[in-house]
Amino acid sequence: MGRNISRRKLRHTPGSNLLVDSNDASGKLTQVCCGNGEDLGSLKGGINMFAELVKARMIEYDALTTGLLDVLFKSNPSTAYLDRQLEVSTKVADLILTSKVPEDTTIDKIVDQVFDHFRVNTDEGRPYEGVVQHLVFATIGWCTMLYTYQPGEAQSSPTPRDSHTPHSIQQEPPHLSKRPLGAVLRRHGLMPISCPPGVKSSQGSPVLLPVTHLNFFSLSKLGDVTVIWVNDLKQHCEFDRYSRNKELKLFRMPSFCASICLHGQDDTLIGRLSRGHICLNECRTQAPTIARAYLIEVLLSYRLLFGQHGRSRQVFNERERENAKLNGSIDPLLDALCGDKDMNGCIDIKELIRERGVYNADVNFPHLRERLLDLEDYSTSQRPRNLLEVWNDERDPEKLLTFRAVLIIGGVSILLSLVQVFVGFAQIAVSV
């Protein structure tokens, strides 16, 4: 049964008092990342998780950025490290947001503007240019949740921190610093670049994704698929069917996606960066919709895999809910999307995603299409290995109903036949 999550329960979650207002550094950065929503409601717990994760990632940069921050804050040396880092990262994000031509914004331009803002002269800033370049790229990752940038020495080639992530940056920021930010992200597969809904479609018949075919219960029971809950959006729905562990990666903080969609994507960093999208289908005029369309797909994918299927909700509530926690807390919206049939207390999200029983991969999931189709193909190729799995195989409801009906009717018929045999023996015994 789905977990009944009331509006009140969603609003009051562990850590809900951590989110600071927009007047302090953490609050300003959260606004830049997640949108300018005044009443977060059910999203508050998830946004707090995001804010704490960003702070933890900033602390990992302590060794790399301490010298730079000392130069930037020479007029105010008593400022704490985390406050310094938050202020610099907020300024970097704000510079990207306020750029007049997003397509021409480069790391080099942001570096110069950061030094100008903090009144650092050329001689003082030159030794730290490489550090600022790394910090700009890291800040984009923190603010968009698309990737995690590995802290390291300023002259070393950075690599992703999470061992599960396949995204490897082969070139250092200095080699990419003169290219537009959007182009750099797309080059490394870190930015969604598929066309918005309606621009690109398959040839021939629509590619359909029925909930009965593609759900986590079937994937786990028949295909031995396990979930790895990750902190990077770019990894969402990644699946390697040929790996030994059959791991499906899912993003653990959907409140981040929902906040951007509900509170104005144009005011967020991921929304601004997506404006640099250029494709061969001449859909440039629709580029501002890419970030929102992609994030809605992410939200809808939780309903497809878990929320709309009873046994999948049960698996989430009994097992995956605990695995999805970060530092002991779970995003309340993830709870509602995956474990609650009716998504109580999330009316705005329900209207945003518009769930269906059967999805068109081209229309409903243009960005996640290939990953979901690979999952669906893997699920379809799996065969039950014993009678119990045959009984629980819900991918084809009509076939399952027929099988169960035959089994039940056949079993009842055999039972009645045995009863008749015993009754016959009893009659013979009485007559003798």
Side-chain angles (χ1 to χ4, degrees):
M1 297 295 291
R3 185 183 299 270
N4 183 22
I5 305 177
S6 66
R7 179 180 296 272
R8 182 174 180 180
K9 182 175 180 180
L10 281 169
R11 285 177 180 267
H12 298 277
T13 55
S16 61
N17 60 333
L18 296 175
L19 191 64
V20 292
D21 62 49
S22 60
N23 292 323
D24 91 344
S26 180
K28 290 178 180 177
L29 184 63
T30 302
Q31 263 192 12
V32 170
C33 301
C34 305
N36 192 18
E38 296 181 358
D39 182 15
L40 292 173
S42 61
L43 305 180
K44 190 171 184 179
I47 299 303
N48 284 321
M49 287 178 59
F50 159 76
E52 294 304 306
L53 177 62
V54 170
K55 291 177 183 179
R57 288 178 171 178
M58 287 180 175
I59 292 173
E60 292 177 358
Y61 264 71
D62 187 358
L64 176 63
T65 59
T66 297
L68 167 66
L69 296 177
D70 286 341
V71 172
L72 297 181
F73 288 85
K74 61 183 178 181
S75 62
N76 192 6
S78 62
T79 308
Y81 167 79
L82 189 56
D83 291 334
R84 294 180 177 186
Q85 187 70 280
L86 283 167
E87 184 175 340
V88 174
S89 297
T90 303
K91 186 59 185 177
V92 167
D94 187 61
L95 289 170
I96 298 173
L97 272 175
T98 57
S99 60
K100 295 181 179 179
V101 185
E103 295 86 346
D104 295 333
T105 303
T106 66
I107 292 179
D108 274 353
K109 290 181 180 179
I110 299 300
V111 171
D112 292 339
Q113 290 172 329
V114 167
F115 284 140
D116 288 343
H117 175 76
F118 288 95
R119 294 183 172 86
V120 176
N121 61 48
T122 303
D123 292 336
E124 289 178 312
R126 185 177 294 112
Y128 296 99
E129 285 181 353
V131 179
V132 181
Q133 290 169 343
H134 279 249
L135 183 58
V136 169
F137 207 72
T139 297
I140 295 173
W142 299 335
C143 293
T144 63
M145 297 299 291
L146 287 170
Y147 59 89
T148 301
Y149 205 53
Q150 171 68 27
E153 295 181 2
Q155 300 303 319
S156 65
S157 179
T159 55
R161 176 180 59 83
D162 192 336
S163 61
H164 291 295
T165 178
H167 309 305
S168 173
I169 310 300
Q170 300 298 333
Q171 289 182 287
E172 303 172 30
H175 295 117
L176 304 172
S177 60
K178 299 184 185 304
R179 299 192 62 194
L181 288 172
V184 173
L185 296 175
R186 290 194 297 276
R187 172 174 180 170
H188 296 294
L190 301 174
M191 175 69 73
I193 60 176
S194 297
C195 300
V199 175
K200 185 175 70 173
S201 61
S202 301
Q203 300 294 325
S205 303
V207 182
L208 303 180
L209 296 172
V211 174
T212 54
H213 282 200
L214 184 56
N215 58 77
F216 185 71
F217 176 79
S218 297
L219 288 168
S220 61
K221 295 300 181 182
L222 300 177
D224 299 322
V225 175
T226 58
V227 172
I228 299 295
W229 296 95
V230 296
N231 300 325
D232 296 338
L233 261 173
K234 190 60 184 68
Q235 295 178 273
H236 184 70
C237 286
E238 281 187 354
F239 174 67
D240 184 0
R241 64 193 301 170
Y242 302 108
S243 66
R244 176 177 299 180
N245 297 326
K246 303 293 186 296
E247 294 175 345
L248 171 63
K249 297 173 183 176
L250 297 176
F251 184 58
R252 61 158 48 95
M253 284 178 282
S255 287
F256 174 81
C257 307
S259 180
I260 294 173
C261 294
L262 293 175
H263 300 137
Q265 62 157 359
D266 292 337
D267 297 327
T268 62
L269 193 59
I270 191 172
R272 175 52 68 99
L273 288 171
S274 70
R275 293 185 182 184
H277 168 73
I278 301 174
C279 83
L280 300 178
N281 292 323
E282 299 181 355
C283 64
R284 185 185 179 92
T285 56
Q286 300 185 44
T289 68
I290 292 178
R292 189 171 189 270
Y294 170 66
L295 296 176
I296 289 176
E297 287 179 41
V298 172
L299 296 172
L300 190 56
S301 65
Y302 297 108
R303 298 300 291 171
L304 171 62
L305 294 172
F306 288 100
Q308 292 182 251
H309 187 260
R311 291 196 169 188
S312 298
R313 292 194 300 271
Q314 184 178 358
V315 172
F316 175 82
N317 288 323
E318 293 178 355
R319 186 180 69 200
E320 294 304 330
R321 186 178 188 277
E322 188 66 27
N323 296 335
K325 290 182 178 180
L326 180 65
N327 298 325
S329 299
I330 188 171
D331 185 337
L333 182 58
L334 182 66
D335 229 353
L337 287 168
C338 298
D340 186 358
K341 178 181 179 181
D342 300 318
M343 293 183 62
N344 293 320
C346 299
I347 298 176
D348 291 344
I349 307 300
K350 290 178 69 174
E351 293 176 352
L352 182 69
I353 61 178
R354 298 179 182 179
E355 61 188 48
R356 301 163 176 81
V358 179
Y359 294 95
N360 185 319
D362 298 315
V363 175
N364 303 120
F365 296 101
H367 303 89
L368 297 177
R369 176 183 184 277
E370 297 303 322
R371 294 180 181 182
L372 292 178
L373 287 180
D374 187 41
L375 268 177
E376 201 272 342
D377 181 68
Y378 177 77
S379 177
T380 302
S381 67
Q382 302 305 301
R383 295 291 177 265
R385 292 160 290 193
N386 52 56
L387 186 60
L388 180 61
E389 289 188 354
V390 174
W391 181 268
N392 289 322
D393 186 3
E394 300 179 353
R395 292 174 298 175
D396 189 336
E398 294 182 1
K399 184 178 179 180
L400 178 61
L401 182 61
T402 302
F403 170 75
R404 288 181 175 179
V406 169
L407 204 61
I408 293 173
I409 294 173
V412 171
S413 299
I414 293 173
L415 181 61
L416 291 176
S417 299
L418 290 175
V419 170
Q420 288 179 343
V421 171
F422 284 122
V423 170
F425 277 122
Q427 291 175 341
I428 293 173
V430 170
S431 63
V432 172

